[in-house]
């Protein structure tokens, strides 16, 4: 299996099972762990961090991206970062299903992005099901929040610290709790000017 074939498979949200997919996932996980161990193992300048992130993701990283290691990823090649993204330390990226962080996103300490879920029935428990996580522009995710598979978070939204986000979040809102629920609607400049 090639990376392109795997990414097409996960984009179609097909189950991840069978020896060919398992072998590919193991190989990619080993590569991701090698790169993250290098990234997390000693001090690196911001440019060196971006270079290691480029190796991890397999794509160029904008010069405006900032990351405070350590970072953990079990795949790496399905992480997409916009301009001016900040990722604080100890974040976990389970990115098989795809993780996109839009321009200006701010990610707090210890945030977990989980794009895979296991089958619920015992006989299906070893099969995983991918779905992407997409954050719009200027999303702020507080420390120790967890974003689950298939969730889209709209522009300018805020996820409170410790929240578990299981459903889509509308733009310009604040959510928090377990599971996360609407706490506040953010008044934008456009709305203020129209009143």
């Amino acid at each position: 299996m090639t990376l392109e074939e795997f990414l097409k498979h996960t984009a179609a949200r097909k189950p991840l099972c069978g020896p060919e997919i398992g072998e590919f996932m193991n190989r990619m996980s080993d590569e991701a762990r090698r790169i993250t161990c290098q990234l997390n193992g000693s001090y690196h300048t911001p440019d060196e961090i971006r270079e290691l992130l480029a190796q991890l993701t397999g794509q160029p990283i904008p010069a405006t991206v900032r990351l405070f290691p350590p970072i953990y990823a079990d795949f790496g090649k399905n992480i997409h970062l916009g301009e001016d993204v900040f990722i604080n330390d100890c974040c976990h990226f389970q990115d098989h299903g795809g993780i996109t962080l839009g321009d200006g996103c701010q990610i707090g300490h210890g945030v977990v992005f989980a794009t895979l879920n296991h089958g619920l029935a015992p006989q299906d428990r070893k099969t995983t099901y991918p779905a992407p996580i997409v954050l719009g522009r200027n999303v702020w995710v507080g420390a120790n929040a967890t974003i689950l598979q298939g969730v889209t978070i709209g522009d300018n939204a805020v996820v409170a610290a410790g929240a578990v986000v299981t459903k889509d979040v509308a733009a310009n809102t604040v959510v928090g709790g377990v599971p996360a629920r609407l706490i506040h609607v953010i008044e934008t400049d456009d709305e203020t000017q129209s009143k």
Side-chain angles (χ1 to χ4, degrees):
M1 173 165 273
T2 67
L3 177 59
E4 183 180 344
E5 290 169 337
F6 182 83
L7 293 175
K8 284 181 182 177
H9 186 93
T10 58
R13 299 187 182 196
K14 293 181 180 177
L16 301 178
C17 58
E20 183 181 16
I21 288 177
E23 187 279 328
F24 178 80
M25 289 174 68
N26 285 338
R27 185 164 35 93
M28 297 305 291
S29 179
D30 285 345
E31 180 181 327
R33 283 195 311 272
R34 178 185 55 77
I35 295 167
T36 55
C37 282
Q38 184 180 357
L39 178 58
N40 298 338
S42 63
Y43 172 79
H44 298 282
T45 67
D47 287 339
E48 291 169 339
I49 289 171
R50 282 187 291 274
E51 174 53 37
L52 287 164
L53 277 175
Q55 290 177 34
L56 178 66
T57 63
Q59 55 194 298
I61 299 297
T64 55
V65 167
R66 292 186 312 140
L67 166 75
F68 289 174
I71 183 176
Y72 304 96
D74 59 1
F75 184 63
K77 299 298 188 266
N78 212 355
I79 298 171
H80 311 277
L81 304 176
E83 295 283 345
D84 295 314
V85 168
F86 172 70
I87 302 167
N88 220 319
D89 61 6
C90 297
C91 291
H92 295 253
F93 290 78
Q94 183 195 55
D95 63 291
H96 294 85
I99 298 169
T100 300
L101 305 183
D103 295 346
C105 284
Q106 298 180 8
I107 311 302
H109 300 275
V111 171
V112 174
F113 296 94
T115 67
L116 297 179
N117 202 354
H118 293 268
L120 188 58
Q123 64 273 19
D124 195 32
R125 198 74 43 87
K126 291 185 179 180
T127 299
T128 53
Y129 297 87
I133 294 171
V134 178
L135 275 60
R137 297 171 54 90
N138 302 314
V139 172
W140 173 22
V141 181
N144 297 309
T146 298
I147 317 294
L148 297 182
Q149 65 157 178
V151 166
T152 296
I153 300 177
D155 293 351
N156 306 312
V158 176
V159 175
V164 177
V165 184
T166 61
K167 296 179 181 175
D168 289 354
V169 175
N172 303 306
T173 61
V174 179
V175 299
V178 180
R181 61 177 177 73
L182 178 65
I183 295 174
H184 180 72
V185 175
I186 300 168
E187 189 171 300
T188 64
D189 291 340
D190 292 340
E191 291 170 345
T192 303
Q193 291 174 3
S194 66
K195 290 182 179 179

